[in-house]
Amino acid sequence: MKLYTKTGDQGQTSLVGGRVDKNHVRVEAYGTIDEANSVIGWAMTLLQDEKFRDIYQELQRIQHELFDCGGDLAIVSEKMPYKVKEDMVTFLEERIDAYIQQAPPLERFILPGGSPQAAALHMARTVTRRAERCVVALMKQEQMNKVVLQYINRLSDYLFAVARVVNARLQVKDVEYERSAIVFRDKNEKKGESE
């Protein structure tokens, strides 16, 4: 098998059910998801210690699911079934809820960083946020699997939660943004204020 086909030498690429220019909004969306996947792969190289085994395994699962997201966004044919389903979003939500309990309480914005491992996860988070903006642009112009947007949105939250847990496990304190107001409050605290 050759790695090059020369079919894209005129600036177009194949989708499932058609061809488009390589700068098409659909290609930009799944290409940016691919970038996020690559940054996650880099972050994983920093998370090979046993204390991160659970996170490493989850990230590997997420890498496969990001391929599913990209594949779904490459579909322009109405006959192909989508791979990204709601249960994938639910998994991320469950993991976010679990990780929130493992990190110190958060009241203010934090600076991306702390440990090298957390910094890599924050990089993955920001590329995922960019991917989300690209998916939104696609959704406004063309048909697509809308669950992909939910998944990408939740993934950036997951990466934020995991970055904080990694710092906590390494006993590295998150650095609060020094001019931040209190922006995160406990839901029970909010409830008490409104009563």
Side-chain angles (χ1 to χ4, degrees):
M1 175 186 153
K2 287 189 174 183
L3 288 179
Y4 58 90
T5 62
K6 301 184 181 181
T7 59
D9 288 353
Q10 301 306 313
Q12 288 204 321
T13 191
S14 294
L15 301 173
V16 181
R19 284 184 70 76
V20 294
D21 289 339
K22 288 186 175 186
N23 64 349
H24 189 277
V25 65
R26 187 173 295 275
V27 179
E28 186 68 29
Y30 71 67
T32 309
I33 287 173
D34 188 34
E35 287 179 45
N37 204 347
S38 296
V39 179
I40 288 171
W42 168 60
M44 289 171 66
T45 67
L46 304 173
L47 295 167
Q48 299 197 17
D49 189 285
E50 187 61 31
K51 71 174 70 109
F52 305 124
R53 183 183 185 96
D54 55 338
I55 294 169
Y56 185 94
Q57 290 174 339
E58 289 170 10
L59 290 172
Q60 193 158 67
R61 171 182 173 162
I62 286 165
Q63 283 195 299
H64 288 283
E65 292 175 347
L66 285 172
F67 261 91
D68 293 336
C69 289
D72 279 5
L73 294 185
I75 295 173
V76 291
S77 167
E78 294 179 13
K79 297 176 184 174
M80 290 291 294
Y82 292 132
K83 292 180 181 176
V84 180
K85 308 286 186 202
E86 304 251 346
D87 63 314
M88 295 159 74
V89 177
T90 302
F91 170 77
L92 291 176
E93 291 171 346
E94 289 168 354
R95 297 312 305 143
I96 292 165
D97 292 341
Y99 285 133
I100 285 173
Q101 303 305 315
Q102 294 182 36
L106 181 66
E107 290 186 334
R108 293 176 169 78
F109 288 121
I110 59 168
L111 303 181
S115 64
Q117 295 91 333
L121 290 162
H122 279 296
M123 179 66 81
R125 174 185 60 81
T126 59
V127 175
T128 300
R129 280 287 189 218
R130 182 160 43 88
E132 181 183 9
R133 294 190 295 272
C134 293
V135 172
V136 168
L138 172 62
M139 185 181 69
K140 291 184 177 293
Q141 294 180 33
E142 300 197 0
Q143 286 290 102
M144 56 161 271
N145 179 2
K146 292 182 174 41
V147 182
V148 170
L149 177 59
Q150 294 171 23
Y151 183 87
I152 297 298
N153 184 15
R154 223 61 89 247
L155 178 58
S156 61
D157 295 332
Y158 168 90
L159 292 166
F160 179 82
V162 167
R164 295 198 67 238
V165 166
V166 164
N167 275 341
R169 289 184 190 179
L170 291 170
Q171 299 180 342
V172 174
K173 191 174 184 221
D174 286 317
V175 178
E176 290 184 343
Y177 167 47
E178 62 188 23
R179 288 180 288 283
S180 176
I182 294 177
V183 292
F184 302 105
R185 295 177 192 255
D186 184 281
K187 287 181 182 177
N188 295 328
E189 183 183 324
K190 278 186 185 175
K191 202 177 207 180
E193 288 177 358
S194 61
E195 292 176 345

